[in-house]
Amino acid sequence: MAIMSPEEKLGMLKPAPADEDELRCVESLAPGDYEVGFERMNNILDEAMEVFVRSSRSSMGIAGDSMVAVFTAKGDLANASCGTFLHAVIQPVLFKFILKTYKDNPGIFDGDIWFTNDALYGGIHNPDVVVKVPVFYEGELIAWTGAAVHTTETGASEPGGMPINANARFLEGMNFPPFKIGENFRIRDDFIEVMGAFGIRAPQMVIIDLKARATAADRARRRIVELCREKGVDYVKGILRKMLMVAEEGARKKIRSWPDGTYSCVNFSDGVGLEKGLVRSSCLALKKKGETLTMDFTGVSPENPYSYNAHVQAVVGHISNFVFEYVFHDLPISSASFAPIDFIFPPSSCLNPDPRAATSCAVMISTGVMSGLHNCFSKMMFSSSDMWSQASASQGNAGNAMVLAGLSQWNLPFADMLAYSLNSEGQGGRPSMDGVNAFGFPWCVYGRTPDVEEMENDLPVLIPLSNHWKDSCGHGKYRGGVGTVQIWVAHHAPQVFFMSISDNSKMQTPQPLFGGYAPCTVPGISVVGADIIERMKSNAEDFTLDPFHMLAEKTVSGQWMHEFFARATRAFQKGDVITFGFATGGAGYGDPLERDSKLVIQDLKDQMISDWTAENVYRVVYDKSTLKLDEQATTEARDAERKARLDRGKPYDQFEKEWMEMKVEDSILKFYGKWPTGEVVNPVIRM
Amino acid sequence: MNTIDIDVGGTFTDLVLSYNGEFVFKKMPTTPYDLSVCFLNVIEEASKELDMDTEECLPKVDLLRYSTTVAMNRLIERKGPRLGLITTEGHEDCILIGKGAQWVDGTRVSERRNLAVQKKPEPLIPREYIVGVRERIDSFGNVLRPLSADDVRKKVHYLVDKGVRGFVVSLLWSQLNQSHERMIKKIIREEYKEFYLGYLPVVLASDVIGRSGEYQRTMTALLDAYLHRAMQIELSAMWDKLREYQYGGPFMMVHNSGGMAEVFKTDAVRTYSAGPVAGLIGSYRLAQDLGFRNVIATDVGGTSFDVGLVVEQNVRNYEFRPILDKWMVGITMLQTMSIGAGGGSIAWLNELLGNRLEVGPQSAGSYPGPVCYDQGGEDPTVTDADLVLGYIDPDFYFGGRMLLNREKAEESIKTRIADPLGISVQEAALLIRRIVDDNMGAAIRKEINLRGYDPKDFALFAFGGGGPTHVAGYMGELPESVIFPFSPVFSALGSSVMDIKHIYERSKRFMLMEPGTRKFTSEYQEFNAVVEDLVEQAQKELSGEGLPVEKAVFQLELDMLYGGQVHRKRSSSPVMFIRSPEDVKAVYDAFEQEFSETFSPLVVHPEGGVYVESFVVTSSIPAQKPELPSYELQEADASAARKGARACYWGNGTSEETPVYAYEDLKAGNEVAGPAILEAEYTTVVLPPGFVCSLDKNLFGRIRRVQPGTGGK
């Protein structure tokens, strides 16, 4: 077998050196050619991306949680159009694998269509499906194009494409290494049948999305061939190679501007699959020297017997999300931007598991990495003259995914991951402003929430509540953006099936920054046999749709269930409160006592925070009925709290000694590894 | 019929006056402090051309049409009234959440990538002026929670105590059941009589727009309420002055839907982007006259490049998610695409990317404007490049009324672009021009390619002040470009050929084809009753406006989707009513064709059933079609129109003495080969080597690419 080692995959992410022919093509570019050619390539990719979104069927596809990219003939990513950057930089592994393994048998020809969804061979997780096509011009392989989007059905042991109970890859449904699914620009009919069979819970969606990927990749291919005809093949090859050169040069220049040093952060989650337990999902030491970076993840927890593991390149994919959004936002989306970056992932860890490991929830375990990057990069960039303003506390990064299935009020079967809570998480606080409230989906920030009317029209649910989630942010001098809260009630159909995915419920993964607070935790709450619809119909005076009041006073009768947010598939009857749908807030930046007290009053007016928070976290004194600020009393209250902090404080040596002796209860260390270092204690055995 | 069409843009106000078969075109600077000033200035200038003054001219005019985007631009100033929003309890934050990534709306891709600087727009109604009332209607239009009148009173009092002076009422599912919104309006009227606090306007979302999607519906109603008063004041000022001058005809306002209506019956949100839409409609009419089936209409202004498509002599392409300023709305708006490229676009070096030269999207605007305007601008722009290359005469810009400073333009390009790149000033200017032209060309390709068409099947119309100046650079592989004597005032001309059009919409889910069995509906009455209602509403309104109902043409459009999918498509129904299985099939076939063209044939899925979500009836009173002036073709030799020559730079290291022609002296049949400059009062036509311009019988310039040195042959 040709399965690549983690080291081989990481090596393949580095751009291949330019050969003589490529350098000749770059040299032949006239002044202005690159500028024009770069824009032309952007337009080709944007067009293909638009076609992709319009041709997709799944919610993720329609929301634009996808990517179309162009690669050099050697498989390096030159540029991409992205809803999500996640897929972009890691795909060179797939192309280089094909070039290395299948060049002679079955061979690479014009009109080929290649497919993969196996993370072991270079993807994120198996719901992320990639279609790629070679670009030939007059018989010469000059480039590749690829299109990737998440599918919500893989024929796994549970619906939704991300089974939480899968303990090995054998329960994850389809897992196809790169292989050829079409020739002469046509997808083979037998393969379409295979996809339909794996996606039998929603075959229409799976097949349409497959064709959409092929359509998008081929659209980009056709336009590149047209560009060759118009401007010459050397022009196209020169532009592609120059994009790599410019991206790498730009990245190195940025890195050079930051101070050398090691910047670190640890992040935790508190559950894998359906089990609770502490996991050190990220333990990042970011070493910066000269114009290079090394990301060392030594210390993360071992791989686990669930699907909450990520292969090394999948972790790099998650890193690219943050890097292209906050650090390299003005560089081409090219894998060459990552050329100055090296990675260290400990073997048998949740970020570098055994080939047999289940990884369909790779996106959940990677929330730690996504969050840790904010802290490490922010500490590093904060002292630079031109990038301090890019420092920011972590986004919510919860990705609490909720799946509904059943028969709709229109008598149609459905199974889909709903976009509302995913697409309305809060952003982290920033050096001079708060994070954005209900900001977006950290994996694909441009995705949009549906309207409540859209959800109620398509699905058998009533949504009596859909608002900002007060106090869900991490507080700080600049607080994180708040998330949202909805209530879903089974409506118009006798029964609705529900499952949810999460990796933190009792503690939050994001760490705050520079003295800010972490966002609040996310419970799983439902009410079976609820009378909420009756309460609404009778318009009872004591019944309001304020979630705090509802939870505190239990204003809805029925059996209240408080659980871990991740829940296995279960049925709800008409009228039941299926769940409170929470989108988490972003982390806080800076000490809350330094927050402008007028902003606290404004937050109260905007109903972003509660009175309790204003008084106890921000120590602001005001008249509760008029919200008039008492500045003098506020100064005194804050001074008192600062003094109390000093009184609670202790010398560092004493603190460190006590801290090092502390240990969490063994009962929650099942997935943690050896305390406190996280090394493997009992290797996971998979048959 | 004598008509006046006026388009008030950000920089210039354009006019087309049609008087006893004669056309007058005028362009005057916009007066942002009071739009009625430029409005009357341009009429006065046009009247002079006919040897009349305004008092004499206006009474002889039968119809006045007006388009502007200025009203909507005032959104940015946030000077609207203090409004309160009344919505369903539990959904108060809808407009603040804004479908999540609200910060994306109204931004370009390049502006979105840096997440560290993103912000949601300041809300037009802050949270403390939003209240939720106890009520709920469900997705079938049934009352689930009755409206609590006491709760409404309490919350309305709260809002008024807070200083609110107008209400927007937008409840969930009100487009299916208006009863609760109407009850709230009644309660407000009961509580606050006019004589207490002055007039407190109440806008019901279901009155403004009958479509599902609470965010877009609420924002549409809110923008309407927010801008209504400012627009009323502005229009009243114009209307008063028109009346002073004894103008007695109708005063119509151009809509972004492609139609128009009486100014005082126009919702403010319908005026946004009306100028480019008018240009598109003008192109549509001219395409019919000139025999083009497919046209790409391009408008090069000071800050933006607008593109619209006429396909198969049709302009029925609507925006998927219309955005007004920063707000997603639910109105029906014709699709035009805009990129930040124009005469004022700034050229700059991207240091991070190895000193890559970029042009735009930032613009110097009209003030300070390009460096050559000598108003304090320091950043080199496209207009500065055109001047440095010799294409624009510094003494003949805007008919000689604006003198340009060439030295300053040269100095700016030298220090900011040429020296850092190590190239000559002229090479740098040519590079700026090449990049902006290519950006515009890319926008055209994208617009055509995205819809699955071949650019070679399209003719290009170039208008706006900069269209003729840059068209040779951005026409790419398109076979022919057309420029017009009235190119600089094309949008105003477009409105002169627009129909009077009203749109009536109602959301109602109707199953046209059964899922699984693919059986067509037989519930004809249910379908037809909705259409009949909408037609009746249209007829009442037309006759209320004093318009000839008997001349009205009605058309039915349907927002439809396949069961289990979320892509909705507005499709033109070939029949107004369904009375047979053949009618239903015709409706479905039209939908399938439009759906597969817009999305992809891959997504066509009749197995899931087919549903109508909204019914849309348009009523149109066709506009009078002006006759195009036609002239006898004369010889190709254009030397009689030659007014001189000047040094222009076309590449190759040295400037070349280039002939200059006066456009107004060119005759039908004349042919000019590049390199050449054709000067008109408000624009300059640039013909590089390898291009030829022939004047057709209508005096329209037809530009096409030829081999250098072969002239037009």
Side-chain angles (χ1 to χ4, degrees), chain A residues 35 74 204 346 416 430 551 561 603-604 635 673:
Chain A
E35 287 81 352
K74 293 172 183 161
Q204 175 214 357
D416 211 351
R430 296 170 280 182
L551 293 170
M561 298 166 77
D603 280 346
L604 288 163
T635 304

Side-chain angles (χ1 to χ4, degrees), chain A residues 544-602:
Chain A
T544 74
L545 287 160
D546 173 357
F548 279 72
H549 187 245
M550 289 175 81
L551 293 170
E553 304 296 327
K554 297 275 191 295
T555 56
V556 172
S557 298
Q559 185 191 346
W560 282 74
M561 298 166 77
H562 295 263
E563 302 166 84
F564 194 77
F565 193 83
R567 284 157 281 176
T569 307
R570 64 182 71 168
F572 285 93
Q573 312 304 317
K574 187 176 178 181
D576 287 349
V577 173
I578 300 169
T579 190
F580 277 64
F582 292 114
T584 191
Y589 180 107
D591 185 350
L593 294 185
E594 290 180 16
R595 183 167 179 76
D596 184 339
S597 45
K598 292 188 191 73
L599 291 178
V600 177
I601 298 297
Q602 189 59 49

Side-chain angles (χ1 to χ4, degrees), chain B residues 2-28:
Chain B
N2 299 331
T3 59
I4 288 179
D5 291 89
I6 294 176
D7 177 43
V8 178
T11 315
F12 291 110
T13 295
D14 304 339
L15 169 143
V16 175
L17 168 60
S18 163
Y19 187 81
N20 294 341
E22 194 178 339
F23 283 93
V24 177
F25 308 116
K26 280 290 157 197
K27 208 172 180 71
M28 294 292 289

Side-chain angles (χ1 to χ4, degrees), chain A residues 335-559:
Chain A
S335 52
S337 309
F338 273 56
I341 308 176
D342 290 308
F343 304 93
I344 299 169
F345 296 104
S348 302
S349 69
C350 59
L351 303 185
N352 185 3
D354 183 83
R356 284 163 292 190
T359 62
S360 50
C361 285
V363 290
M364 304 311 296
I365 199 70
S366 298
T367 58
V369 174
M370 289 165 70
S371 301
L373 287 163
H374 273 272
N375 294 60
C376 292
F377 270 87
S378 295
K379 289 173 193 172
M380 180 165 61
M381 296 187 299
F382 189 70
S383 60
S384 68
S385 59
D386 56 346
M387 288 192 71
W388 63 271
S389 59
Q390 299 299 115
S392 61
S394 173
Q395 299 174 157
N397 290 345
N400 296 320
M402 295 179 280
V403 177
L404 280 183
L407 206 57
S408 77
Q409 62 268 47
W410 308 106
N411 223 21
L412 289 169
F414 68 94
D416 211 351
M417 192 177 283
L418 272 65
Y420 198 95
S421 61
L422 295 173
N423 287 327
S424 53
E425 292 193 3
Q427 189 190 27
R430 296 170 280 182
S432 56
M433 57 185 149
D434 292 340
V436 177
N437 303 311
F439 178 66
F441 181 37
W443 283 262
C444 168
V445 288
Y446 311 124
R448 304 305 289 265
T449 68
D451 282 305
V452 165
E453 288 181 353
E454 206 175 308
M455 294 171 76
E456 290 186 348
N457 195 38
D458 292 341
L459 301 166
V461 288
L462 178 81
I463 303 170
L465 171 70
S466 182
N467 270 338
H468 280 132
W469 182 15
K470 193 187 282 187
D471 275 345
S472 59
C473 55
H475 300 289
K477 178 179 180 182
Y478 294 105
R479 62 168 176 79
V482 298
T484 59
V485 53
Q486 288 193 325
I487 293 176
W488 296 358
V489 179
H491 194 52
H492 287 323
Q495 204 172 44
V496 183
F497 293 89
F498 169 80
M499 73 165 282
S500 57
I501 305 163
S502 169
D503 72 334
N504 47 31
S505 197
K506 298 232 167 191
M507 68 177 296
Q508 271 292 18
T509 297
Q511 295 277 10
L513 195 60
F514 302 150
Y517 291 5
C520 83
T521 56
V522 184
I525 301 172
S526 51
V527 189
V528 175
D531 66 348
I532 187 166
I533 289 182
E534 286 70 33
R535 299 281 283 163
M536 289 175 71
K537 279 181 179 166
S538 66
N539 231 341
E541 273 301 306
D542 64 337
F543 181 74
T544 74
L545 287 160
D546 173 357
F548 279 72
H549 187 245
M550 289 175 81
L551 293 170
E553 304 296 327
K554 297 275 191 295
T555 56
V556 172
S557 298
Q559 185 191 346

Side-chain angles (χ1 to χ4, degrees), chain A residues 237-315:
Chain A
K237 287 194 293 186
I239 295 290
L240 291 176
R241 172 45 72 173
K242 185 145 187 189
M243 282 183 196
L244 299 183
M245 295 159 85
V246 168
E248 181 171 343
E249 199 180 301
R252 289 188 187 279
K253 191 172 175 186
K254 280 193 183 236
I255 294 170
R256 269 199 306 272
S257 73
W258 306 323
D260 285 354
T262 301
Y263 308 86
S264 54
C265 182
V266 289
N267 300 77
F268 302 92
S269 60
D270 62 0
V272 292
L274 291 169
E275 288 196 75
K276 291 168 215 159
L278 192 67
V279 177
R280 186 146 72 177
S281 53
S282 176
C283 183
L284 172 59
L286 176 64
K287 292 171 188 157
K288 188 265 165 181
K289 191 169 184 197
E291 55 181 33
T292 61
L293 294 174
T294 304
M295 296 188 188
D296 184 351
F297 290 94
T298 302
V300 291
S301 288
E303 60 183 294
N304 55 70
Y306 287 98
S307 55
Y308 287 52
N309 301 294
H311 290 301
V312 291
Q313 79 288 342
V315 184

